[in-house]
DNA sequence: GAATATAGACGAATAATTATTATTTAGCAA
DNA sequence: TTGCTAAATAATAATTATTCGTCTATATTC
């Protein structure tokens, strides 16, 4: 039973062509214990007792590898830098994961009332927004031609 | 008529207790011309011809002042650092603008089909997420007691 | 118009992340 | 097994984005 998680991890790695390393296993095991939304620094601190010589850069690379492989998700990947919206019109945004470009999407408002219903008491909601993320037309065209070059 | 924007800006500033400065006016005027989602660096480059001695730090401070006053919006303010979600369950997030804490919100999925309908052709949507932003219970309680200290 | 508070310029500092390079390790084949 | 090759790691430097501190300049208030 103690092996179940490790075996599951090995299987996942095979599927995704990730090498199974001790560091990755320990990081994965710690991640699976966490039910909040840690940042890389926190993950680093959590694994250090078991991996005293690990470096923060390795944690970053491992987390990115896990995200790319779909083992974990990233909460609202940001845009590299602060982005502002001069006009106050409410709409959704499409954010390109590759070039970070933001495209306005005209959509109906989300059901704000239903969303707010799930918010704990004492929380003050100031904004609600829906984002779509993926690859924009330009980047999709580029990777297509690159794939056929 | 050329004065309309300037007058409107002055009025806004009075309402929000912001001093009307030349730098702020120029930044505001440029922002109102922009229909994309510039970052501070881009705003800086845009105003430099008119304000050769402005510093990037001033642009940051001004943008923050404008956001706080509600003159402009920020597109998905980020969390200071990368945040991950170990478990793959889909849900929404409440993000505290003060302490950056992320709280899971159990909600129904947004109408993904309707959202995707507004996406330009050639764009590949990989994720759709809804975020609520505001002040979490802890921070709200703190500012309440601070306000009455 | 003078006093006071706020804003700006400049440079340095900090935080988050990525790149570099040498070393180690995993995955695979003989 | 053993050795080869590609990938992963550790350590550190570099980059990028953002903020801070200090001094000067400007706006607001009287």
């Amino acid at each position: 039973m103690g092996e179940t998680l490790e075996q599951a991890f090995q299987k996942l790695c095979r599927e995704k062509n990730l090498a199974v390393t001790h560091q990755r296993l320990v990081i994965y095991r710690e991640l699976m214990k966490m039910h909040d939304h840690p940042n890389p620094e926190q993950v680093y601190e959590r694994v250090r007792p078991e991996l005293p010589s690990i470096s923060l850069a390795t944690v970053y690379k491992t987390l990115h590898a896990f995200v790319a492989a779909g083992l974990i998700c990233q909460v609202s990947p940001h845009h590299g830098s602060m982005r502002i919206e001069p006009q106050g019109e409410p709409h959704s945004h499409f954010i390109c994961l590759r070039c970070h470009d933001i495209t306005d999407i005209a959509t109906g408002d989300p059901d704000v009332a239903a969303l707010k219903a799930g918010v704990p008491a004492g929380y003050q909601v100031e904004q609600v927004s829906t984002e779509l993320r993926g690859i924009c037309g330009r980047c999709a065209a580029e990777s297509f031609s690159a794939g056929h070059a």
Side-chain angles (χ1 to χ4, degrees), chain A:
Chain A
M1 344 206 125
E3 285 190 346
T4 311
L5 181 84
E6 182 168 350
Q7 287 172 346
F9 176 68
Q10 289 177 350
K11 193 172 161 224
L12 277 169
C13 287
R14 300 254 160 68
E15 283 170 16
K16 306 294 184 176
N17 286 315
L18 287 177
V20 179
T21 68
H22 182 222
Q23 286 87 338
R24 285 177 175 173
L25 172 61
V26 171
I27 291 172
Y28 184 77
R29 193 194 296 138
E30 285 302 316
L31 288 178
M32 290 304 115
K33 285 191 213 160
M34 297 183 178
H35 291 269
D36 50 354
H37 300 90
N39 62 25
E41 190 78 35
Q42 291 170 318
V43 175
Y44 178 60
E45 291 305 330
R46 287 277 296 250
V47 299
R48 255 148 68 97
E50 264 192 271
L51 303 169
S53 69
I54 198 171
S55 77
L56 182 55
T58 298
V59 173
Y60 270 94
K61 283 185 62 175
T62 303
L63 293 179
H64 282 141
F66 284 0
V67 168
L71 274 62
I72 58 176
C73 291
Q74 207 177 145
V75 179
S76 50
H78 56 258
H79 318 131
S81 59
M82 173 188 184
R83 295 303 194 86
I84 61 168
E85 174 144 275
Q87 324 293 331
E89 293 280 308
H91 51 254
S92 302
H93 291 116
F94 179 96
I95 298 164
C96 180
L97 295 170
R98 199 162 299 167
C99 69
H100 298 149
D101 194 59
I102 300 175
T103 307
D104 292 340
I105 305 293
T107 45
D109 289 321
D111 187 347
V112 176
L115 286 164
K116 286 194 180 178
V119 174
Y123 281 53
Q124 297 163 13
V125 177
E126 291 180 11
Q127 308 167 18
V128 177
S129 70
T130 301
E131 283 177 11
L132 301 99
R133 293 188 208 90
I135 307 298
C136 75
R138 257 180 316 282
C139 289
E142 270 174 32
S143 54
F144 181 80
S145 49
H148 292 250

